[in-house]
Amino acid sequence: MKKFNFRKVLDGFTASSPGSGSSGGSNSGGAGSGSGPLHPGGPAGVLREEIQETLTSEYFQICKTVRHGFPYQPTALAFDPVQKILAIGTRTGAIRILGRPGVDCYCQHESGAAVLQLQFLVNEGALVSASSDDTLHLWNLRQKRPAILHSLKFNRERITYCHLPFQSKWLYVGTERGNTHIVNIESFILSGYVIMWNKAIELSTKTHPGPVVHLSDSPRDEGKLLIGYENGTVVFWDLKSKRAELRVYYDEAIHSIDWHHEGKQFMCSHSDGSLTLWNLKSPSRPFQTTIPHGKSQREGRKSESCKPILKVEYKTCRNSEPFIIFSGGLSYDKACRRPSLTIMHGKAITVLEMDHPIVEFLTLCETPYPNEFQEPYAVAVLLEKDLIVVDLTQSNFPIFENPYPMDIHESPVTCTAYFADCPPDLILVLYSIGVKHKKQGYSNKEWPISGGTWNLGAQTYPEIIITGHADGSIKFWDASATTLQMLYKLKTSKVFEKQKVGEGKQSCEMVEDDPYAIQMIYWCPESRIFCISGVSAYVIIYKFSRHEVTTEIVSLEVRLQYDVEDIITPEPETSPPFPDVSSQLPSSRSLSGSTNTVASEGITKDSIPCLNVKTRPVRMPPGYQAELVIHLVWVDGEPPQQITSLAVSSAYGIVAFGNCNGLAVVDFIQKTVLLSMGTVDLYRSSDLYQRQPRSPRKNKQFIADNFCMRGLSNFYPDLTKRIRTSYQSLTELNDSPVPLELERCKSPTSDHVNGHCTSPTSQSCSSGKRLSSADVSKVNRWAPGRPPFRKAQSAACMEISLPVTAEENRENSYNRSRSSSISSIDKDSKEAITALYFMESFARKNDSTISPCLFVGTSLGMVLIFSLNLPISDEQRFTEPIMVQPSGTFLSLKGAVLTFSCMDRTGGLMQPPYEVWRDPNNTDENEKSWRRKLVLNSSSSSQEVGDHQYTIICSEKQAKVFSLPSQTCLYVHNITETSFILQADVVVMCNSACLACFCANGHIMIMSLPSLRPMLDVNYLPLTDMRIARTFCFTNEGQALYLVSPTEIQRLTYSQEMCDNLQDMLGDLFTPIETPEAQNRGFLKGLFGGSGQTFDREELFGEATAGKASRSLAQHIPGPGSIEGMKGAAGGVMGELTRARIALDERGQRLGELEEKTAGMMTSAEAFSKHAHELMLKYKDKKWYQF
């Protein structure tokens, strides 16, 4: 019997149902089940058949490409003096290996344990890492993606220090118990030779010497090992005789030790800020003791102790005094002094103050041999948030200009934008402007870390990354060919007056921490129009110019307030005890700005911007120059809410932005406000300029100065100081837990976790009033003329699982749940504008030609189309007003609207129109008569009646494709039911358009257009930090990026072609280089300079002499390096040859074993035959009775 599929029957009904398209005030595009076409027949069906989609799932694959920025939370540093590459280990188990610009490799320990120490196998293409889980790893650097060859896990002891002598295969490992073990690097097997702590110290010593803090072999004799213990004991161990040759004792704890190259002296740094120099001939007391930063005392008195000297390096020069370089050691009375690096060269002492604490430093020397003059030429200093290299060859010790993008986090990153395949001249133009503002005073020598090789590769299209920062700065980066280089820096805070101490509280204390933080970025590369929105509720429009200009900055003030028919004041019993300060102000709107009203104590704030624009003429250097500043001002004592959407059209000369209160449209050519109204009013009437007057709003009780935002958390216990804490998670550079009150609402659109609102667009911006259950019906009434539609269950009702503390769980159970029905009440009362889009399209159902339009998307899934009536001629454009009128068209989706896009009838992606860039300050062009050059990328110029355009709309839950002007929903795809989309973009891939989505559950999804067929769905990036959600962005050519840590940008690709070519685009870490020859010591030095005999470590540490180590002490773990090597070669002939060779070796091995077994059987047979013959001869002539 054939099975009956009920779902197919429903699909048949859905496919045969009449169209849901409508015009006027009707709702179009109902929710569909799954994905697929809603109208297979009719004109829409004919139109779909004309588009041949070329993208298939074979075009897509997800993989990480490169990581830029400073390694987050660094812990270790190593340098290969021959290969000239640098390695940095981090607390998260990551390793960054750096060479010449373009050579930047990232690798990660699977365990995620912190890296304690790194050791290069000098000029061998290998690296040893020691991690906090007491495991040693051997990395193979002879491949572009380093892989672990071997691992050795210590089970009973904790690793504290490692040392690998130059050109040795035996690694010394010191432990917390004071023992020293030896590991064979080739096999990664522990030797049976162990230096126990109780044998190293004197038998009369009653206390444990502490952990091993230093290990090094003598430059004079490789058979002698110097062991430093934490309590101040130093042991000079003879490896051959297995005894201590001498012991050194000091009262203060030891932090580090370094040898003089002759091997007769060594220097120690101690916890009291002292340096001790010891001579092997007189170990009873230090040869010299100094406290470099201690105050000089009278004779007989001990010098004043200082802070610990954490590390010292003692490097000699042939033609000058030795260098003594150390970190720390400053006097305790200089508590305000910054972390410093001290360089002592002869009698000169230079203190280099650092901006951040010093993690580690290394002196870069000319020779890798420890028994030669070191000739130091630079010092690499690893700070907590920076990497600098100091030039030691110049007396003023300048630093080298760092070619790596280590200053991404100079100010915390708050937003990002990514542009691939942009106009090629932009990079050169931005660089030529930005290079004029670079810092001076760098060393004139080349960057000393110059190892590895790198070439451009096949894909060389221009890419630009833009980062917005908490201090209001904008950085443009050249991201072409997997590199990153800063081009140009723009400081947006320069348009505002500097706030004096205490002045911020007078105007807007809600953003007192980072008032200039960048919130959103909009850039048109073709017209070079640049626009940003800040956390203090302002918008700045910039135009690009090659000429300097001095002019006044024009500013506009816009009032955006959310008006409902009845405003409920707080209930008396629930209001906090504030002073009784109130005033009556009528509800009014200003379309063209208004004068400031001084807010003094006791008066409700009104028409006050958060920041003050400079009123005097401002000198603007070449580059981006401010054209217009738009403020959202206080309205009746309520602070302006953050901007949630932003769009600019250079062709129309219009900027549009919205928040949870409403929408504003501004003409930045004529500097006038075209539209400013609440979201509810957008539905009321087709004529926005003819509205009925309203009665004044009811009294509100506020304190003018300090109640504006601090009181909100008292009225709404489940909401917080939204604007002040908006970018808390982005601006924090540590992972320490923040208080729950700061964690709940974090950015322009209220992102929360674990029971709190997590949607990037479903903010319920509170206005300082608590609603009782009896008043809910009043607030939720739809305005007259508003189309009926369902209350969208947006992502405000979603929960994602992130780690929380027990305190947060208790708070969540106490406070009102965001997934309750009350959440939807807050959402419906505050419908935010979440997406804006300018396009040449069909505003109404009966339109036959395209016209300028503005698409508006809201947090409830509603889409409104506005028609823009622009003057025809250029002359009229500067004088005649622009009319913004609603078309009466409404479309709807599930969840908040995220993005729009349009395609022509052939399936080509339509770009919004733009104005060709011209220099606004070019005097030659101003003298001539010029016309604005507009580029309309629309191919739909036909006048015939029918569908001419596709419109793609994506929300948090689903994507829909509409046919315009009929407004027929052709395709619908429910992207997710249990989660929500964080980022969605329509991008170009292989000359075809597709929809890329990043979901809160970590899935990256790609859908073809216009059919919305799923091409890729990979659970790739778990949302462990809201920083990822706010900075993730897609771009063309299969590229994407996000801020993986507060200091690093991770780039990835979803293109199969780029994944295949990635190996060619990455740099090579290892290059074959001849190891420099050792200097000739000379006859006399060889005769009297020390032991001239070679030291055979293999004979001493090998299994034959030392025996095997205990199996319980350490466990050997084979690494995946060889497997990774096979994968890297699997695509070509080398892979086949490698597999064939391995198979041949295995076959030969088996044949050899078989041959050995056969030979053994033949030998046994011959022996048996021999014994049988002897037995036969023995009993041949005997009679039967002789047996």
Side-chain angles (χ1 to χ4, degrees):
M1 181 178 177
K2 186 177 179 179
K3 292 184 178 179
F4 182 76
N5 195 327
F6 185 72
R7 182 177 179 180
K8 291 185 177 180
V9 175
L10 291 180
D11 291 342
F13 279 118
T14 304
S16 61
S17 62
S20 57
S22 62
S23 62
S26 62
N27 179 14
S28 173
S33 175
S35 67
L38 294 183
H39 297 271
V46 175
L47 184 61
R48 279 201 309 274
E49 293 176 0
E50 297 176 3
I51 298 179
Q52 297 294 329
E53 296 182 2
T54 58
L55 293 179
T56 61
S57 58
E58 286 76 17
Y59 284 82
F60 300 95
Q61 181 183 347
I62 294 282
C63 70
K64 293 180 181 178
T65 53
V66 289
R67 181 173 292 201
H68 303 297
F70 181 75
Y72 184 52
Q73 295 179 334
T75 55
L77 184 68
F79 181 71
D80 188 326
V82 179
Q83 289 289 321
K84 294 190 182 302
I85 56 177
L86 187 80
I88 300 174
T90 71
R91 192 178 300 173
T92 59
I95 298 177
R96 286 279 293 280
I97 305 174
L98 306 171
R100 67 175 67 248
V103 178
D104 187 344
C105 181
Y106 167 83
C107 40
Q108 174 74 42
H109 292 91
E110 291 184 1
S111 64
V115 178
L116 298 178
Q117 195 175 354
L118 296 172
Q119 287 274 324
F120 274 106
L121 277 67
V122 177
N123 204 27
E124 295 291 337
L127 175 71
V128 175
S129 64
S131 53
S132 60
D133 60 352
D134 306 311
T135 306
L136 298 174
H137 305 276
L138 178 63
W139 295 84
N140 178 19
L141 306 183
R142 292 176 179 253
Q143 55 194 53
K144 293 189 176 183
R145 295 279 192 178
I148 295 177
L149 296 174
H150 302 281
S151 297
L152 188 66
K153 169 72 174 175
F154 280 75
N155 297 323
R156 295 186 297 183
E157 298 190 51
R158 308 214 65 180
I159 299 174
T160 56
Y161 195 86
C162 298
H163 171 64
L164 180 64
F166 178 53
Q167 293 182 331
S168 170
K169 68 175 184 178
W170 296 95
L171 175 72
Y172 301 109
V173 181
T175 67
E176 192 176 26
R177 293 186 179 180
N179 302 326
T180 302
H181 302 274
I182 302 171
V183 179
N184 188 316
I185 290 297
E186 294 179 350
S187 61
F188 240 57
I189 296 176
L190 205 61
S191 170
Y193 192 108
V194 183
I195 304 174
M196 305 299 292
W197 68 271
N198 53 358
K199 294 183 179 179
I201 64 174
E202 289 185 354
L203 297 177
S204 59
T205 304
K206 298 181 180 180
T207 58
H208 191 279
V212 175
V213 296
H214 178 81
L215 291 169
S216 62
D217 54 339
S218 170
R220 193 179 184 186
D221 187 357
E222 297 177 350
K224 306 293 176 60
L225 183 67
L226 193 69
I227 308 173
Y229 295 95
E230 189 181 52
N231 72 339
T233 302
V234 180
V235 176
F236 195 51
W237 183 265
D238 189 334
L239 294 169
K240 289 184 179 179
S241 61
K242 299 183 180 180
R243 64 180 182 85
E245 187 170 302
L246 61 88
R247 297 179 180 89
V248 167
Y249 298 97
Y250 194 70
D251 296 337
E252 299 293 335
I254 292 177
H255 285 279
S256 68
I257 304 176
D258 200 18
W259 281 100
H260 187 279
H261 82 277
E262 292 181 351
K264 299 178 182 179
Q265 296 177 335
F266 61 88
M267 182 175 289
C268 303
S269 68
H270 300 277
S271 58
D272 63 344
S274 64
L275 296 174
T276 55
L277 183 64
W278 299 83
N279 197 319
L280 295 181
K281 293 183 179 179
S282 55
S284 58
R285 61 185 180 87
F287 176 74
Q288 183 181 358
T289 302
T290 58
I291 301 181
H293 295 293
K295 292 182 180 179
S296 58
Q297 302 285 345
R298 296 180 181 178
E299 295 183 2
R301 292 187 180 183
K302 186 178 179 180
S303 299
E304 180 185 8
S305 61
C306 297
K307 296 178 182 179
I309 296 179
L310 302 179
K311 184 178 181 180
V312 64
E313 292 205 347
Y314 188 23
K315 303 300 178 184
T316 56
C317 301
R318 186 180 298 275
N319 300 320
S320 65
E321 296 290 331
F323 280 90
I324 299 175
I325 306 171
F326 61 89
S327 61
L330 295 179
S331 176
Y332 280 106
D333 61 354
K334 298 178 180 178
C336 297
R337 288 281 295 272
R338 293 185 293 179
S340 65
L341 183 77
T342 304
I343 302 176
M344 300 174 62
H345 189 210
K347 295 182 179 180
I349 300 178
T350 305
V351 178
L352 304 178
E353 292 188 345
M354 304 296 171
D355 294 332
H356 310 286
I358 297 175
V359 176
E360 175 71 286
F361 74 89
L362 288 174
T363 306
L364 312 186
C365 302
E366 296 287 351
T367 177
Y369 294 94
N371 57 353
E372 298 177 356
F373 283 100
Q374 299 300 291
E375 302 294 345
Y377 59 90
V379 180
V381 186
L382 179 64
L383 309 177
E384 277 191 1
K385 299 174 185 177
D386 200 1
L387 172 69
I388 65 171
V389 180
V390 181
D391 186 357
L392 294 179
T393 61
Q394 301 184 37
S395 58
N396 59 339
F397 303 125
I399 64 173
F400 291 89
E401 185 177 4
N402 197 328
Y404 314 126
M406 293 292 184
D407 57 345
I408 292 176
H409 63 287
E410 183 180 13
S411 175
V413 178
T414 55
C415 61
T416 58
Y418 193 6
F419 300 87
D421 203 11
C422 51
D425 61 329
L426 267 180
I427 292 179
L428 183 60
V429 169
L430 290 172
Y431 180 78
S432 63
I433 297 295
V435 73
K436 300 177 183 178
H437 304 285
K438 280 194 173 183
K439 296 180 181 179
Q440 304 298 324
Y442 292 111
S443 173
N444 54 9
K445 296 189 176 182
E446 293 184 359
W447 180 252
I449 305 168
S450 57
T453 57
W454 177 77
N455 41 20
L456 289 176
Q459 297 178 342
T460 57
Y461 50 81
E463 301 174 67
I464 292 179
I465 294 173
I466 304 177
T467 55
H469 300 264
D471 64 350
S473 61
I474 301 286
K475 292 182 180 180
F476 291 77
W477 306 84
D478 177 13
S480 306
T482 70
T483 62
L484 195 68
Q485 180 182 8
M486 194 174 79
L487 299 172
Y488 173 69
K489 183 178 179 179
L490 173 66
K491 296 181 179 179
T492 63
S493 60
K494 287 189 174 182
V495 304
F496 300 107
E497 296 284 0
K498 291 184 178 179
Q499 288 186 327
K500 298 179 182 179
V501 178
E503 186 177 311
K505 293 185 178 181
Q506 295 292 331
S507 59
C508 184
E509 66 172 35
M510 58 188 172
V511 288
E512 60 186 8
D513 295 331
D514 295 306
Y516 309 111
I518 305 300
Q519 189 175 7
M520 302 182 74
I521 293 174
Y522 191 97
W523 188 44
C524 178
E526 290 79 12
S527 65
R528 302 186 187 178
I529 291 289
F530 185 67
C531 185
I532 63 101
S533 68
V535 72
S536 297
Y538 62 85
V539 172
I540 308 178
I541 301 169
Y542 289 90
K543 287 187 176 181
F544 188 84
S545 175
R546 297 176 183 269
H547 304 278
E548 181 179 317
V549 65
T550 300
T551 181
E552 291 186 1
I553 301 173
V554 182
S555 64
L556 287 177
E557 295 179 359
V558 178
R559 297 168 63 92
L560 271 183
Q561 66 187 55
Y562 193 93
D563 287 338
V564 292
E565 294 182 359
D566 293 317
I567 305 297
I568 297 93
T569 56
E571 297 177 1
E573 62 273 14
T574 60
S575 300
F578 289 106
D580 186 11
V581 181
S582 62
S583 64
Q584 290 187 353
L585 289 176
S587 174
S588 61
R589 283 179 208 283
S590 173
L591 298 184
S592 59
S594 61
T595 58
N596 289 355
T597 302
V598 179
S600 59
E601 187 172 343
I603 299 178
T604 302
K605 294 182 180 181
D606 188 71
S607 300
I608 301 175
C610 298
L611 300 173
N612 296 321
V613 178
K614 292 180 179 178
T615 56
R616 63 184 182 278
V618 178
R619 186 187 70 86
M620 300 182 185
Y624 275 105
Q625 300 169 351
E627 177 76 6
L628 177 65
V629 179
I630 308 169
H631 290 284
L632 290 181
V633 296
W634 288 65
V635 178
D636 297 342
E638 296 180 8
Q641 298 297 332
Q642 287 187 352
I643 295 170
T644 57
S645 57
L646 177 68
V648 181
S649 174
S650 61
Y652 308 151
I654 298 176
V655 57
F657 57 93
N659 60 10
C660 60
N661 284 341
L663 172 68
V665 182
V666 176
D667 182 350
F668 63 81
I669 294 180
Q670 298 184 24
K671 311 295 190 298
T672 57
V673 179
L674 303 177
L675 176 69
S676 173
M677 59 171 35
T679 313
V680 173
D681 297 328
L682 299 179
Y683 299 96
R684 290 180 184 267
S685 173
S686 60
D687 188 354
L688 300 180
Y689 302 98
Q690 296 179 3
R691 291 176 295 145
Q692 297 297 326
R694 299 186 185 161
S695 58
R697 307 178 69 178
K698 295 186 179 181
N699 298 347
K700 292 182 292 292
Q701 296 180 355
F702 288 106
I703 286 184
D705 285 336
N706 62 358
F707 179 64
C708 58
M709 290 303 293
R710 293 181 179 175
L712 292 182
S713 58
N714 297 319
F715 281 110
Y716 281 79
D718 64 328
L719 298 177
T720 57
K721 309 164 188 178
R722 186 168 286 101
I723 297 184
R724 176 185 295 179
T725 63
S726 61
Y727 282 101
Q728 182 73 19
S729 65
L730 289 180
T731 56
E732 287 294 332
L733 288 184
N734 53 41
D735 285 341
S736 59
V738 296
L740 178 66
E741 194 172 18
L742 295 180
E743 185 67 24
R744 290 214 185 146
C745 285
K746 286 189 176 177
S747 186
T749 45
S750 180
D751 302 306
H752 311 306
V753 294
N754 292 318
H756 306 295
C757 171
T758 52
S759 165
T761 52
S762 55
Q763 171 179 337
S764 61
C765 301
S766 58
S767 58
K769 302 172 184 59
R770 175 174 294 171
L771 304 181
S772 63
S773 59
D775 299 320
V776 168
S777 60
K778 297 182 181 180
V779 179
N780 281 336
R781 287 190 307 215
W782 300 119
R786 183 168 182 176
F789 59 93
R790 56 173 173 74
K791 298 178 182 179
Q793 292 297 321
S794 183
C797 304
M798 298 302 301
E799 296 183 10
I800 56 177
S801 178
L802 292 180
V804 292
T805 61
E807 182 180 354
E808 288 178 323
N809 287 330
R810 289 194 301 268
E811 186 75 9
N812 293 347
S813 62
Y814 172 78
N815 284 329
R816 184 175 59 187
S817 172
R818 296 297 299 167
S819 60
S820 64
S821 60
I822 305 178
S823 163
S824 63
I825 295 172
D826 293 336
K827 289 194 296 101
D828 292 344
S829 63
K830 288 287 187 177
E831 183 179 6
I833 306 298
T834 59
L836 296 168
Y837 182 63
F838 288 101
M839 192 61 196
E840 298 279 323
S841 184
F842 301 92
R844 298 172 181 84
K845 191 171 185 180
N846 299 325
D847 288 353
S848 59
T849 59
I850 59 174
S851 61
C853 295
L854 171 61
F855 288 76
V856 179
T858 73
S859 57
L860 297 185
M862 293 300 298
V863 176
L864 301 85
I865 303 179
F866 286 79
S867 177
L868 309 176
N869 295 327
L870 283 77
I872 299 176
S873 63
D874 289 340
E875 293 77 11
Q876 293 177 345
R877 178 63 186 87
F878 291 91
T879 57
E880 298 294 329
I882 296 177
M883 302 298 293
V884 181
Q885 296 179 344
S887 64
T889 300
F890 301 102
L891 308 173
S892 71
L893 293 87
K894 292 180 181 178
V897 179
L898 298 180
T899 188
F900 299 96
S901 191
C902 289
M903 300 174 67
D904 57 27
R905 64 185 305 160
T906 62
L909 187 63
M910 298 175 61
Q911 300 297 334
Y914 63 89
E915 178 187 2
V916 177
W917 175 79
R918 56 174 293 276
D919 197 327
N921 301 322
N922 194 334
T923 56
D924 296 336
E925 292 187 10
N926 290 333
E927 293 174 356
K928 302 177 183 178
S929 60
W930 59 271
R931 297 178 59 87
R932 299 175 66 226
K933 297 179 181 179
L934 304 182
V935 177
L936 305 178
N937 293 321
S938 175
S939 61
S940 301
S941 59
S942 174
Q943 301 295 324
E944 65 183 15
V945 178
D947 288 356
H948 302 312
Q949 196 178 84
Y950 292 104
T951 297
I952 300 102
I953 308 175
C954 184
S955 71
E956 292 177 328
K957 292 293 186 179
Q958 64 178 190
K960 286 186 178 182
V961 177
F962 294 91
S963 175
L964 297 182
S966 69
Q967 301 175 14
T968 303
C969 183
L970 300 178
Y971 302 95
V972 60
H973 179 67
N974 293 323
I975 301 175
T976 178
E977 293 292 343
T978 59
S979 186
F980 56 91
I981 303 299
L982 292 169
Q983 182 66 33
D985 284 296
V986 176
V987 295
V988 176
M989 174 90 170
C990 300
N991 298 321
S992 298
C994 59
L995 177 64
C997 301
F998 173 52
C999 195
N1001 58 14
H1003 283 250
I1004 294 178
M1005 293 161 284
I1006 311 293
M1007 284 151 281
S1008 66
L1009 292 176
S1011 65
L1012 295 176
R1013 288 184 296 110
M1015 297 284 100
L1016 179 73
D1017 188 352
V1018 178
N1019 187 7
Y1020 184 71
L1021 185 66
L1023 187 61
T1024 56
D1025 198 317
M1026 294 310 297
R1027 183 186 304 108
I1028 298 175
R1030 294 196 185 97
T1031 58
F1032 196 101
C1033 53
F1034 295 98
T1035 189
N1036 297 332
E1037 307 299 336
Q1039 306 285 342
L1041 66 81
Y1042 61 94
L1043 203 67
V1044 68
S1045 73
T1047 62
E1048 294 171 290
I1049 289 177
Q1050 177 66 58
R1051 292 166 66 180
L1052 54 94
T1053 181
Y1054 48 91
S1055 167
Q1056 177 68 58
E1057 181 183 3
M1058 187 169 183
C1059 290
D1060 296 338
N1061 299 329
L1062 188 58
Q1063 287 291 112
D1064 299 331
M1065 301 172 66
L1066 299 177
D1068 291 298
L1069 296 172
F1070 178 79
T1071 54
I1073 300 176
E1074 289 286 338
T1075 302
E1077 295 183 0
Q1079 297 177 2
N1080 189 3
R1081 302 184 65 191
F1083 175 75
L1084 294 177
K1085 227 171 212 185
L1087 185 63
F1088 302 107
S1091 176
Q1093 60 183 354
T1094 59
F1095 175 64
D1096 189 359
R1097 293 187 178 91
E1098 180 68 33
E1099 180 182 354
L1100 187 61
F1101 303 144
E1103 186 178 335
T1105 305
K1108 291 184 179 181
S1110 172
R1111 291 186 178 181
S1112 61
L1113 184 61
Q1115 176 186 0
H1116 176 258
I1117 305 171
S1122 57
I1123 300 175
E1124 293 294 326
M1126 281 292 295
K1127 289 181 179 179
V1133 179
M1134 292 301 297
E1136 299 294 335
L1137 291 177
T1138 304
R1139 285 194 293 269
R1141 187 182 65 184
I1142 293 176
L1144 186 61
D1145 292 343
E1146 292 178 353
R1147 183 171 179 270
Q1149 184 178 359
R1150 292 171 184 170
L1151 288 175
E1153 293 176 356
L1154 182 61
E1155 185 178 357
E1156 290 178 359
K1157 291 181 180 179
T1158 304
M1161 292 178 64
M1162 291 180 61
T1163 303
S1164 300
E1166 289 178 359
F1168 179 77
S1169 175
K1170 181 180 179 181
H1171 289 303
H1173 184 70
E1174 291 176 355
L1175 188 62
M1176 184 268 295
L1177 292 177
K1178 181 179 179 180
Y1179 296 104
K1180 178 179 179 182
D1181 297 329
K1182 289 187 178 182
K1183 303 298 181 182
W1184 63 270
Y1185 52 84
Q1186 292 179 337
F1187 287 98

